[in-house]
Amino acid sequence: MRSDRDWNRPSTGARIAAFAGLAFLHLPVWVILLYAFTTEDRTYQFPPPGLTLHWFAVAFAREDIWAALRLSLAVATVATAMALVLGTLAAFALARSRFRGREAVTLLFVLPIALPGIITGIALLSAFKLGGIQPGFWTIVTGHATFCIVIVYNNVIARLRRLPQSWIEASMDLGADGAQTFRYVLLPQIATALLAGGMLAFALSFDEIIVTLFTAGHERTLPIWFFNELFRPRERPITNVVAVTVVLVTLVPILLAYRLTRPGTTEPNL
Amino acid sequence: MMRVLSAKLYGRRGFYLALLLLPPLLWLGIVYLGSLLALLLQSLYAIDEFTARIVPELTLATYRQLLSHPANVDIILRTLGMAVAVTLAAAVIAFPVANYMARHAGPAMKGFFYVGVMMPMWTSYLVKVYAWRLVLAKQGILSWFVDQLGLTPALEGALAAPVVGGPSLASSYLGMFIVFVYMWLPFMILPLAAALERVPDSLLQASADLGARPGQTFRNVVLPLALPGLAAGSVFTFSLTLGDYIIPSVVGAPGYFIGMMVYQQQGTAGNIPLAAAFSVVPIVLIGLYLALAKRLGAFDAL
């Protein structure tokens, strides 16, 4: 006779496989942290012969890195702002309504992240070339806003679906008009979803390379700067320092976004 | 004024809806769908071989060029093979992790696993690729560990293998495969875990009570119910591998992949029609994959 728990006890092997999988996911992140401090500047020698903070100072003094960082922050800010407006509108329109063609519209709102980024990139470039549009700041923003809309839309619509319709009816029954219902009932409920969606969109835009390489022209965002460095390995230590900085800058908003959307949901609102 | 307006709007659902939907729909409809159409149009143009200019006349010449050159067909098959291999490997590695976090871990451990899977997923994509170059380099961490374990001959044996090998892990298909699996693993783990969480405990208890061994329960109860999760995850791993051009150009062997061709043709070669035609290939392959998955009933249990 099996005991009550027996059917659900993982074998030691299953447990080891699970933890090994998790460790595999974390290995490279720790590697980057370590290499930012290495004294060796030519090879990827492991273990590092010594540790130093010197490279942080060198990277800090580099104007090209600051320029790339400024561009990336500006692009992410504008793209996120556009995505917050457009994504939220779409989520409100599609959360509860039924109309002909709704399926097709819903599909359109997930397509930019369902298809590989390279498709978005080459498609936008094709359109810019046909339209004679010169690549620059606004073409980068256009590309980023397109997938950022989807992120905000997904976060807000997930929250709206969990919000009972009866709350809105109750608010209306108690005499609130549409604007008041929005201000006092809906907005507080979706505020954290908006914040989380916005932060995810910002982090994703800040880190984007696949679409950006097609739409940037001669502009250099931080990921493009980084990508170029990978093929010019003269300045490895500085690349390492920038890598650590990028990880920290993107991870903080993402962890905050995760905390804000946590209750009840386990699926990321990609 | 606002009150009157909002009351009026709430009464007319259709108008209100259209007002909300119009701006985002215009953006995605014009900018995104319009661009996809532009992509299709560009792929139906061809480049004049003498002037190197794009001739704006509809022709299938570019597609003919794409499919008649053995080198191009090789690129497509190589990318497809990598996508299939990466998807299978990701499913095998993801299953124990997803299964443990969804069905065995207590609440605290479950939270630890979710954050543990999502943190690397959201870590900068380029930084992760770069980190793997450090790990796989000739004097890098992996070869140091392999050396410490006395397994260097095994690694050299693997690198000496005909197709997958190369001078070092960082410049072989084997290394590229490892990086691809690593990069998309969270996209397989999360939908799989979500599917496994929905498997009711009572079914597993019933299976055990009816005398099934754990292996039998796994094959006949857990696996079929996990299929939608596997399908969703595999769509990610498959499509992301098909479209990537950063990983094959940073880590790996000299052979070209679809994404690299798209990037190179639009850039240095200046042949947007061929780049566009190449990028239609992953769209078609993903469409076929979705149709196949649907046909096999992968989404029925959703």
Side-chain angles (χ1 to χ4, degrees), chain B residues 255-271:
Chain B
Y256 269 86
F257 280 69
I258 292 178
M260 296 163 81
M261 273 315 266
V262 174
Y263 183 63
Q264 204 203 29
Q265 287 299 328
Q266 62 83 30
T268 43
N271 192 345

Side-chain angles (χ1 to χ4, degrees), chain A residues 2 4 7-8 10 15 17-19 21-22 24-26 28 31-32 35 43-47 82 86 89-90 92-93 97 99 105 108-109 111-112 114-116 118-120 122-127 129-130 142 145-146 149 172 177-180 200 204 207 209-210 213-214 223 226-227 230-231 236 239-240 243 246-247 251 254-255 258 266-268 270, chain B residues 3 6 10 17 20-21 23-25 27-29 31-33 35-36 38-39 41-42 45 96-97 100 103-104 109 112-120 122-127 130-135 137 139-141 144 182 185-187 189-190 194 197 201 204-205 208 212 214 236 239 243-246 249-250 259 262-263 266 272 275 279 283 286:
Chain A
R2 284 160 180 278
D4 204 29
W7 58 271
N8 194 25
R15 210 185 295 241
F19 279 92
L22 200 62
F24 173 58
L25 284 174
H26 283 262
V31 170
I32 277 296
Y35 271 91
T43 65
Y44 299 131
Q45 187 190 353
F46 184 86
M82 289 172 65
L86 296 174
L89 287 177
F92 268 96
S97 58
F99 56 89
V105 174
L108 178 61
F109 279 100
L111 211 54
L115 287 177
I118 194 169
I119 310 281
T120 311
I122 184 75
L124 285 169
L125 182 74
S126 299
K129 290 267 172 180
L130 283 180
T142 305
T146 303
I149 290 173
M172 296 297 226
D177 58 40
Q180 284 171 322
L200 289 181
L204 219 63
D207 186 43
I209 177 84
I210 296 207
L213 274 177
F214 285 94
F226 197 90
F227 184 68
L230 293 185
F231 297 98
R236 258 175 215 160
T239 316
N240 294 341
V246 168
V247 168
L251 218 54
I254 282 158
L255 287 177
Y258 177 72
T266 47
E267 286 160 90
L270 261 176
Chain B
R3 293 181 69 111
S6 66
Y10 195 80
L17 195 72
L20 283 177
L21 200 52
L25 203 58
W27 179 272
L28 283 186
V31 174
Y32 189 69
L33 275 189
S35 297
L36 286 179
L39 173 75
L41 190 63
Q42 289 274 18
Y45 290 166
V97 182
Y100 184 79
R103 301 204 300 111
H104 297 306
M109 189 54 99
F112 172 77
F113 260 80
Y114 270 107
V115 174
V117 171
M118 277 164 65
M119 251 173 61
W122 284 108
T123 301
S124 165
Y125 163 86
L126 264 184
V127 170
Y130 176 60
W132 272 102
R133 211 157 86 154
L134 302 186
V135 173
Q139 284 182 297
I141 296 185
W144 183 80
Y182 170 83
L185 190 58
F187 294 92
I189 293 178
L190 291 174
E197 269 190 0
D201 281 351
L204 306 175
Q205 258 168 325
F236 279 116
S239 124
D244 197 280
Y245 62 97
I246 307 282
S249 48
V250 176
V262 174
Y263 183 63
Q266 62 83 30
I272 296 227
S279 68
I283 303 183
I286 292 162

Side-chain angles (χ1 to χ4, degrees), chain B:
Chain B
M1 177 62 195
M2 275 301 285
R3 293 181 69 111
V4 178
L5 199 65
S6 66
K8 272 230 164 76
L9 285 179
Y10 195 80
R12 296 187 187 183
R13 294 303 298 242
F15 181 65
Y16 170 70
L17 195 72
L19 209 62
L20 283 177
L21 200 52
L22 203 61
L25 203 58
L26 279 180
W27 179 272
L28 283 186
I30 293 176
V31 174
Y32 189 69
L33 275 189
S35 297
L36 286 179
L37 285 179
L39 173 75
L40 200 64
L41 190 63
Q42 289 274 18
S43 74
L44 291 170
Y45 290 166
I47 205 152
D48 187 298
E49 284 184 22
F50 297 106
T51 60
R53 279 170 183 276
I54 295 164
V55 185
E57 280 166 24
L58 295 187
T59 166
L60 284 173
T62 306
Y63 283 102
R64 213 173 298 129
Q65 186 191 354
L66 173 69
L67 295 174
S68 63
H69 277 269
N72 291 345
V73 177
D74 275 355
I75 290 169
I76 295 171
L77 292 179
R78 183 179 300 130
T79 313
L80 185 63
M82 182 60 90
V84 171
V86 167
T87 299
L88 290 176
V92 169
I93 299 175
F95 207 97
V97 182
N99 196 43
Y100 184 79
M101 67 199 265
R103 301 204 300 111
H104 297 306
M109 189 54 99
K110 185 176 280 195
F112 172 77
F113 260 80
Y114 270 107
V115 174
V117 171
M118 277 164 65
M119 251 173 61
M121 174 164 113
W122 284 108
T123 301
S124 165
Y125 163 86
L126 264 184
V127 170
K128 282 185 290 188
V129 179
Y130 176 60
W132 272 102
R133 211 157 86 154
L134 302 186
V135 173
L136 298 175
K138 243 193 156 73
Q139 284 182 297
I141 296 185
L142 204 69
S143 53
W144 183 80
F145 265 108
V146 167
D147 191 45
Q148 295 290 310
L149 295 170
L151 292 172
T152 306
L155 178 65
E156 276 166 5
L159 286 175
V163 178
V164 296
S168 75
L169 271 175
S171 48
S172 67
Y173 288 122
L174 190 63
M176 194 195 297
F177 167 76
I178 295 174
V179 179
F180 268 129
V181 171
Y182 170 83
M183 296 297 275
W184 316 140
L185 190 58
F187 294 92
M188 182 63 95
I189 293 178
L190 291 174
L192 197 52
L196 286 168
E197 269 190 0
R198 287 197 287 267
V199 176
D201 281 351
S202 56
L203 281 185
L204 306 175
Q205 258 168 325
S207 172
D209 288 346
L210 291 167
R213 277 176 293 137
Q216 285 176 311
T217 305
F218 176 79
R219 238 188 344 272
N220 299 322
V221 182
V222 178
L223 207 54
L225 289 170
L227 204 60
L230 271 175
S234 71
V235 171
F236 279 116
T237 55
F238 189 71
S239 124
L240 287 168
T241 311
L242 283 184
D244 197 280
Y245 62 97
I246 307 282
I247 294 169
S249 48
V250 176
V251 180
Y256 269 86
F257 280 69
I258 292 178
M260 296 163 81
M261 273 315 266
V262 174
Y263 183 63
Q264 204 203 29
Q265 287 299 328
Q266 62 83 30
T268 43
N271 192 345
I272 296 227
L274 189 57
F278 253 111
S279 68
V280 171
V281 175
I283 303 183
V284 171
L285 289 177
I286 292 162
L288 288 176
Y289 185 77
L290 283 176
L292 183 76
K294 201 169 172 180
R295 185 112 188 221
L296 293 175
F299 301 111
D300 290 354
L302 274 181

